[in-house]
Amino acid sequence: MKLIGRGATAEVFDCGDGTVCKLFIPGCPVDAVKREYDNACLMEEMRLPVPKAHKLATLDSRVGIIYEKICGESVLDKLAAGESVDGLNIFV
């Protein structure tokens, strides 16, 4: 798997099959990961434009979530460039 993103609590890897794996840092509470997964499923049920959360996963004792891979510009990149983010009211 190829690392394609890194944040404060997780790394995101391209699985090469149209999905990504968001692996949380060691020691991240499993309950927090499950809550994120449940929230992602709920947002999908509400028909919000979010990537599909396929399942929870474990790799090398790290907990993660397998998501649908989507392509596009990140919100962080748009904000850093001083652009507006369609549909969101964000004040920096």
Side-chain angles (χ1 to χ4, degrees), residues 3-83:
L3 179 67
I4 59 172
R6 179 176 285 132
T9 61
E11 296 174 317
V12 179
F13 296 88
D14 188 336
C15 297
D17 62 356
T19 63
V20 297
C21 181
K22 181 178 182 180
L23 281 179
F24 291 82
I25 59 173
C28 185
V30 175
D31 289 345
V33 177
K34 288 181 179 177
R35 187 170 37 256
E36 178 174 328
Y37 174 77
D38 290 341
N39 287 339
C41 291
L42 181 60
M43 288 185 282
E44 182 185 357
E45 287 175 18
M46 295 172 67
R47 300 185 191 275
L48 296 173
V50 296
K52 177 178 179 53
H54 292 285
K55 63 183 177 179
L56 292 167
T58 303
L59 180 65
D60 297 331
S61 71
R62 292 173 66 182
V63 181
I65 303 172
I66 305 296
Y67 282 104
E68 165 189 25
K69 181 180 180 183
I70 58 172
C71 296
E73 194 173 11
S74 77
V75 171
L76 182 59
D77 289 343
K78 289 180 83 72
L79 291 173
E83 298 178 34

